[in-house]
Amino acid sequence: MKVIVGIDLGSTTTKAVLLDEHGEIVGRGITNSRSNYEVACAVARREALTTARMSMLARAIAVELGDSAVSDRLSNAFRLELYLGELAALTARVYQLLDHMMMAAFKTVLEPAASEILDVMADSAPGLFLGGAVRKSDFFRDIAGAAFTSEAERIAAQSDVPFDRLIGLFDRAILDVETTVRGDCFEDTLKMAANRIFAEGDEAARTTIERIIEEVASKPIEEVSFSGTGYGRQTLPFPKAAVRSEILCHGRGAHRVFPGTKTVLDIGGQDTKAIQVDENGVVTCFQMNDRCAAGCGRYLGYVADELNLGLHELGPLALKAEKVIRVNSTCTVFAGAELRERLALGQKREDVLAGLHRSIMLRAMSLLARSGGIRNEFTFTGGVCKNPMATKMLRELVDAHYGAEVTLNAHPDSIYMGALGAAMFALDDWRAGKANLLPDYEVDLSSQPLDHTGCGGCVTAATCE
């Protein structure tokens, strides 16, 4: 199968979208942008290739077994195995940090607590993925961070173990885990997942699934053209012609998914863009925020850190607000001070968070007005579109200023719009005979720390090296 690759390297998350020769989406991947953009691009691209293979696997299972539930269970078990692999890497790094001489004064206190936390996380992991569990986040950092913080709070409340030291240990370890290119083998990981979901008496079913896994893993996927966009697009190892404007990519991606789109609002980690497009998805006008990241995803991330919450937890918590408290500043620098002040006054954090979300959306509405207002249909893209409270506030403000008849397209998958637009430009180049081939794009795994050696290219290669 030939695929075209679009990558959106954002300041917070990096997304990848794969299109086939006909322009249909066959794979998507997303990861934290981390402090290493090269690693982030490699991981997002690899995840997109993995989802493409998982789709191939689901179709093969449906044809042979006629049961889509099997592929769903296998997919969830596969995600569990990947999570456990990353958790093992996190555990190893925590113990390495505890052995460092700088931790000597705290090791006897922290090591038993950290060990207990990590054991609880491993024991509770199946409940996060199996048995119909709702997916809470796309990122290991969010899921593991929420679990680690919860257990750290419990232990700190029952003992003299300092909570801040435990969280500091996690923060340092997770940074190292995130900047490591893992070498998980697609085929081997799927087989472990199959062994998990099939009981000992289901040998025939397991054998059939393993044969299908081997067949799918052996099918080649050829990447024939690349294009990139996003906040960090200039750092992509792409030729100049393959790097595209965020404005153009988000406008085109939004129009592809929602063909009636006339206005696009993209709120990412570092900037907000209000975009007007014509009936063909061509950008006619746009406005961007200034160099300050106020009112963007980074602001929400800082607030989440202040509350010791995962970024994915902010929106659901804010939805529980009984009232919306007016917030005076959306400056990221002063956000923590105002948040602490309001909480010290006895105001509920849910109500304060509701006010923070409304303040962000008011800034976005101002930007939209300067770009020409909102025209029907209106599409919301970027990482903040995954936040349910942000979407709710935006809907309320659109109703109040432009009328309830305006169609607001807001979907969690809208975070992929930029990568989709980039892939569409790469597809145009390929069809015109100007494909952007990148034979040296793959991260040199020999120079990266690996959790499993020898499996670096297994997602795209037929077998392990």
Side-chain angles (χ1 to χ4, degrees):
M1 177 172 66
K2 290 183 172 62
V3 296
I4 289 83
V5 184
I7 292 179
D8 179 5
L9 201 171
S11 63
T12 306
T13 60
T14 297
K15 288 76 62 178
V17 168
L18 306 182
L19 301 179
D20 64 15
E21 300 170 73
H22 308 291
E24 297 299 318
I25 298 173
V26 295
R28 297 183 310 189
I30 186 169
T31 187
N32 293 316
S33 289
R34 314 152 190 250
S35 58
N36 187 323
Y37 281 173
E38 187 178 18
V39 170
C41 289
V43 172
R45 170 171 159 259
R46 183 172 296 175
E47 286 198 9
L49 290 162
T50 297
T51 60
R53 288 201 182 278
M54 292 300 291
S55 296
M56 294 164 60
L57 181 68
R59 290 193 295 272
I61 290 175
V63 169
E64 186 140 355
L65 301 181
D67 186 358
S68 61
V70 173
S71 59
D72 290 340
R73 291 173 59 209
L74 189 59
S75 176
N76 291 333
F78 179 75
R79 287 170 46 225
L80 170 60
E81 296 299 338
L82 292 177
Y83 176 85
L84 289 172
E86 290 190 282
L87 182 59
L90 176 68
T91 300
R93 186 55 183 149
V94 166
Y95 285 126
Q96 288 175 355
L97 291 172
L98 286 169
D99 285 338
H100 195 280
M101 62 181 181
M102 293 184 65
M103 298 294 291
F106 309 100
K107 181 177 180 179
T108 56
V109 174
L110 293 181
E111 188 169 42
S115 178
E116 181 180 347
I117 291 171
L118 293 165
D119 287 344
V120 170
M121 290 172 65
D123 291 341
S124 61
L128 298 173
F129 298 92
L130 306 181
V134 177
R135 188 169 187 170
K136 295 182 178 180
S137 175
D138 293 312
F139 310 121
F140 173 73
R141 170 191 275 271
D142 289 345
I143 300 173
F148 194 100
T149 300
S150 176
E151 287 302 307
E153 287 176 340
R154 179 184 62 81
I155 289 176
Q158 298 173 355
S159 65
D160 294 330
V161 179
F163 173 77
D164 289 346
R165 290 284 181 182
L166 284 172
I167 294 302
L169 185 63
F170 173 83
D171 288 343
R172 183 65 184 86
I174 195 67
L175 181 63
D176 293 332
V177 172
E178 284 188 329
T179 52
T180 298
V181 178
R182 291 178 52 77
D184 298 309
C185 176
F186 175 80
E187 182 178 337
D188 290 348
T189 305
L190 263 178
K191 286 182 176 180
M192 287 191 293
N195 288 332
R196 182 179 290 274
I197 65 173
F198 288 108
E200 300 225 354
D202 293 336
E203 291 298 330
R206 184 189 293 111
T207 300
T208 299
I209 292 296
E210 288 185 351
R211 175 177 55 77
I212 295 174
I213 290 171
E214 291 170 1
E215 292 172 356
V216 169
S218 66
K219 292 180 179 178
I221 296 179
E222 181 184 0
E223 298 162 279
V224 297
S225 187
F226 288 78
S227 186
T229 189
Y231 181 81
R233 61 190 179 278
Q234 298 302 331
T235 68
L236 289 167
F238 292 0
K240 187 175 180 180
V243 177
R244 308 285 181 167
S245 159
E246 291 180 85
I247 306 293
L248 298 178
C249 289
H250 277 274
R252 189 168 183 184
H255 187 267
R256 158 68 186 274
V257 177
F258 301 106
T261 296
K262 294 295 189 297
T263 301
V264 180
L265 174 66
D266 169 43
I267 304 182
Q270 291 282 9
D271 53 33
T272 300
K273 297 172 282 293
I275 308 167
Q276 306 292 343
V277 299
D278 65 14
E279 62 278 3
N280 299 311
V282 177
V283 175
T284 60
C285 180
F286 71 91
Q287 287 285 328
M288 290 184 63
N289 66 323
D290 53 28
R291 287 172 292 179
C292 175
C296 301
R298 284 290 190 195
Y299 173 72
L300 289 174
Y302 187 80
V303 170
D305 290 342
E306 283 288 324
L307 295 174
N308 287 319
L309 295 172
L311 186 58
H312 64 291
E313 297 177 283
L314 281 189
L317 181 58
L319 286 173
K320 299 177 181 178
E322 297 177 357
K323 60 180 179 180
V324 178
I325 292 176
R326 181 176 178 178
V327 175
N328 297 321
S329 172
T330 56
C331 176
T332 304
V333 175
F334 299 110
E338 182 165 7
L339 178 63
R340 289 189 294 270
E341 179 184 356
R342 292 190 175 278
L343 293 177
L345 291 173
Q347 295 173 334
K348 294 182 179 179
R349 62 178 184 171
E350 298 92 326
D351 298 342
V352 177
L353 286 176
L356 292 170
H357 282 78
R358 180 176 174 81
S359 181
I360 289 172
M361 288 302 120
L362 283 171
R363 288 178 64 93
M365 291 295 290
S366 175
L367 200 64
L368 285 161
R370 297 202 301 274
S371 75
I374 293 175
R375 298 182 297 151
N376 204 16
E377 296 176 10
F378 175 38
T379 300
F380 186 21
T381 73
V384 178
C385 73
K386 295 175 70 71
N387 183 309
M389 189 59 170
T391 302
K392 179 177 181 291
M393 286 295 178
L394 182 60
R395 177 74 263 181
E396 290 177 0
L397 290 170
V398 170
D399 289 353
H401 294 277
Y402 294 92
E405 65 275 7
V406 173
T407 299
L408 173 58
N409 303 314
H411 190 278
D413 289 343
S414 293
I415 193 172
Y416 293 99
M417 295 299 191
L420 173 58
M424 293 175 70
F425 281 114
L427 179 61
D428 289 345
D429 291 342
W430 180 70
R431 286 174 173 172
K434 300 183 296 182
N436 301 303
L437 299 176
L438 304 168
D440 299 324
Y441 173 63
E442 180 70 73
V443 171
D444 181 8
L445 294 172
S446 64
S447 66
Q448 297 287 342
L450 291 176
D451 297 315
H452 303 282
T453 58
C455 298
C458 292
V459 172
T460 52
T463 58
C464 295
E465 296 177 355

